Amino acid sequence: MSNIATQIFFLLSLCSGISPLITQENRNQSLKQGPCTLPNFLITEIQNYQPIADEIMNAAISGAWKGRTFEGVTTFVDKYVNRLSGTPELEESIDYMMEKMVASGLDNVRGEDVQVPRWIRGEEKASLVEPVIKSISILGVGPSVGTPIAGISSEVIVVRSFDELEEKKDEIEGKIVVYNQGWLSSYEETSQYRGNGPTRASAYGAVAALI
């Protein structure tokens, strides 16, 4: 399998949500109206690789590679757990994947130097100070911003959704917002609190956010 075929397959996946169940008509429509904003001439060029992409999908789902992709991902994430940008762990994981690509017969496998941000985890701790004093275990979500050296001490306000955050927006100024949303219908829906929660809380004057 050539390297260019693999790249085109990924482009098709990103731009059209490629799947054996998607019709050509639906795929063309999603390329034009979905999140993909490629120019028409490039969309046409990518679509010419559809047979190659279908071959890759069929091999991964029901052909010679059936089950191997999942096993490969499992091995990868077990071996390289933390892969934050700019860390030695990420560099080692990239080298590992490149070696696997070469071993699988891919053409033109190479790495390129790029500038990336690096987030370094510091000391993390939190304490409940009223009505009792109690240490709380926390884990900073990268790339969380650091607190002042003296830390942050403030009253806490708990919300269970962004709707409740909106309802209580006049009570949030100067407080620490705690999101207690629980597990929602999917990872994507639940993780929006981790990704967008702090920003939305700070818009109403929160000094920190916990999820």
Side-chain angles (χ1 to χ4, degrees):
M1 186 187 303
S2 70
N3 184 255
I4 185 63
T6 305
Q7 292 181 37
I8 292 298
F9 169 68
F10 285 132
L11 278 173
L12 281 163
S13 301
L14 289 171
C15 291
S16 63
I18 183 173
S19 162
L21 301 178
I22 294 178
T23 65
Q24 187 63 43
E25 180 180 356
N26 289 339
R27 185 180 293 117
N28 291 344
Q29 196 72 9
S30 63
L31 277 168
K32 294 177 181 178
Q33 298 182 0
C36 181
T37 56
L38 297 176
N40 288 332
F41 79 89
L42 190 52
I43 290 176
T44 300
E45 180 179 348
I46 292 174
Q47 288 174 336
N48 290 334
Y49 287 92
Q50 188 62 52
I52 298 175
D54 288 340
E55 184 179 348
I56 296 171
M57 286 291 293
N58 291 333
I61 294 174
S62 57
W65 282 81
K66 181 179 180 180
R68 293 174 62 184
T69 301
F70 180 81
E71 292 173 0
V73 171
T74 300
T75 301
F76 176 75
V77 297
D78 285 345
K79 186 177 181 67
Y80 302 102
V81 180
N82 301 309
R83 303 180 303 279
L84 295 176
S85 66
T87 63
E89 290 81 4
L90 176 63
E91 293 302 309
E92 292 172 4
S93 70
I94 292 173
D95 292 341
Y96 171 85
M97 289 305 301
M98 290 175 62
E99 291 172 2
K100 288 294 182 181
M101 293 168 73
V102 171
S104 296
L106 295 180
D107 301 331
N108 195 26
V109 177
R110 66 188 187 278
E112 297 182 3
D113 292 332
V114 295
Q115 291 284 339
V116 296
R118 181 178 181 184
W119 181 77
I120 300 176
R121 185 181 300 281
E123 181 183 5
E124 301 151 317
K125 60 182 179 180
S127 298
L128 178 68
V129 294
E130 289 183 9
V132 296
I133 297 178
K134 181 178 177 62
S135 295
I136 301 173
S137 298
I138 62 170
L139 182 67
V141 177
S144 300
V145 296
T147 62
I149 295 177
I152 294 175
S153 179
S154 183
E155 183 180 348
V156 166
I157 182 169
V158 179
V159 298
R160 292 172 177 79
S161 67
F162 286 139
D163 289 338
E164 188 175 359
L165 178 74
E166 178 69 24
E167 293 171 4
K168 295 182 176 179
K169 61 182 180 182
D170 295 333
E171 307 173 38
I172 291 175
E173 181 75 31
K175 296 179 181 177
I176 298 173
V177 170
V178 174
Y179 289 100
N180 187 27
Q181 79 285 348
W183 176 258
L184 303 179
S185 60
S186 66
Y187 173 79
E188 181 179 7
E189 186 177 0
T190 306
S191 64
Q192 65 180 320
Y193 287 90
R194 182 186 67 186
N196 302 323
T199 301
R200 295 186 64 161
S202 67
Y204 298 129
V207 294
L210 299 174
I211 296 93

